[in-house]
Amino acid sequence: MRRGTNALSRDAEVSSNSDEGSSSNQASPEAARRRWMTRDHSALICALSNLSIQYNFTAVTVALALMQHPELPPSSPHAAYPRSLAQESLLKSLVFAGAVVGQLVMGYAGDAVGRRRAMALTNLLTVLGALGSALLTWGEAASVYSVLMACRFVLGVGVGGKYPLAATMRAEACTEGDAPLHSATEVAKGFFWQTPGAMLPYAVGLLVLHWPSSSSSLAAVSLQFRLVLGLGAVPALLVMCLCYFQADRLGLGLGLGLGLGLGLGL
């Protein structure tokens, strides 16, 4: 009788150990998810935001170069997408007009609804502007440039909003934790990524220039400039994903102050 009781107790002990092991295995993905959600992603958000800013500012210059024939002036009717000097000037300047609006509006939005939500919104505008530039520009050259101008302005609003929000998110994150970091240095590290962002469109342009090989055809030129402009949505999408896991903050007026300063000084 005693022997049977010992056997039953051993079986119960083994069963409880296996249950604990299975529950710990099930809990480990949840624990990993919680660790990821509580981790600070402001450094990566700031770096990707600044890379996105300069990529999208510069991408239109590369796209316009791809849209014209190398041996013909841009206004030539034989060019793939003929354009006037006024159209070219508007395409290059509207994004900066939108950026001023974005800096002023999104800085206030960061104070009103939180940095995370405002950053997600400004990156959504960037995604819409970049994808619209690549996917909605069809038809005659005049129609292509008109749609491209509208998309570039929307893109500018989104890109401009990153300036105050990225700096604010990173500066505020540096003051928290057991070992506070020097906020100005950390924000400057994020702004460093504007330099690779300004160079990246030219690298992408060189790649698409040789693919497809028949670069003189209208279909090839169309694909090339759409790739250059559409890739501007990729870093903004990554920032939107990171914002989902980032802790949110409200108020303090820092976002509005940075937005006013940057917008008036641009």
Side-chain angles (χ1 to χ4, degrees):
M1 186 71 177
R2 185 179 299 172
R3 191 175 298 171
T5 304
N6 292 337
L8 286 173
S9 64
R10 280 197 302 271
D11 291 341
E13 197 174 317
V14 170
S15 175
S16 65
N17 290 337
S18 63
D19 290 342
E20 289 176 4
S22 62
S23 64
S24 64
N25 289 334
Q26 291 175 357
S28 57
E30 179 65 20
R33 188 181 72 86
R34 287 178 181 175
R35 284 195 302 270
W36 174 258
M37 291 189 70
T38 56
R39 187 180 303 171
D40 176 49
H41 306 289
S42 62
L44 191 53
I45 288 174
C46 187
L48 286 172
S49 296
N50 282 283
L51 184 142
S52 173
I53 289 169
Q54 284 302 324
Y55 181 94
N56 285 291
F57 276 160
T58 312
V60 70
T61 302
V62 178
L64 289 175
L66 293 170
M67 293 168 76
Q68 74 180 62
H69 195 282
E71 298 176 359
L72 297 173
S75 58
S76 172
H78 300 291
Y81 293 93
R83 62 181 180 271
S84 65
L85 181 60
Q87 287 174 318
E88 183 171 347
S89 300
L90 276 173
L91 278 170
K92 292 180 178 179
S93 60
L94 275 174
V95 68
F96 296 103
V100 174
V101 175
Q103 288 172 359
L104 296 174
V105 173
M106 292 302 170
Y108 173 77
D111 293 334
V113 301
R115 320 295 191 219
R116 183 172 64 89
R117 291 182 181 88
M119 180 63 87
L121 174 60
T122 198
N123 278 280
L124 176 62
L125 292 174
T126 303
V127 171
L128 292 177
L131 292 182
S133 300
L135 302 178
L136 301 180
T137 47
W138 301 95
E140 298 293 328
S143 175
V144 168
Y145 288 124
S146 297
V147 174
L148 192 54
M149 288 176 196
C151 292
R152 291 292 293 175
F153 181 80
V154 174
L155 174 71
V157 176
V159 166
K162 297 172 190 283
Y163 275 103
L165 291 173
T168 302
M169 290 179 72
R170 187 57 187 145
E172 290 176 343
C174 291
T175 60
E176 298 177 353
D178 298 330
L181 301 172
H182 192 267
S183 60
T185 302
E186 294 301 312
V187 171
K189 288 179 182 178
F191 273 77
F192 160 80
W193 288 95
Q194 288 195 16
T195 300
M199 297 168 61
L200 193 56
Y202 296 99
V204 174
L206 287 174
L207 290 175
V208 302
L209 189 62
H210 299 286
W211 180 83
S213 57
S214 57
S215 58
S216 60
S217 69
L218 181 61
V221 172
S222 175
L223 177 61
Q224 289 167 352
F225 89 81
R226 293 177 201 281
L227 282 173
V228 172
L229 295 176
L231 285 175
V234 174
L237 284 170
L238 292 175
V239 172
M240 289 180 68
C241 294
L242 290 170
C243 285
Y244 176 77
F245 299 103
Q246 181 68 14
D248 206 358
R249 295 171 180 84
L250 290 169
L252 301 181
L254 183 56
L256 177 59
L258 280 173
L260 286 171
L262 290 167
L264 296 175
L266 186 63

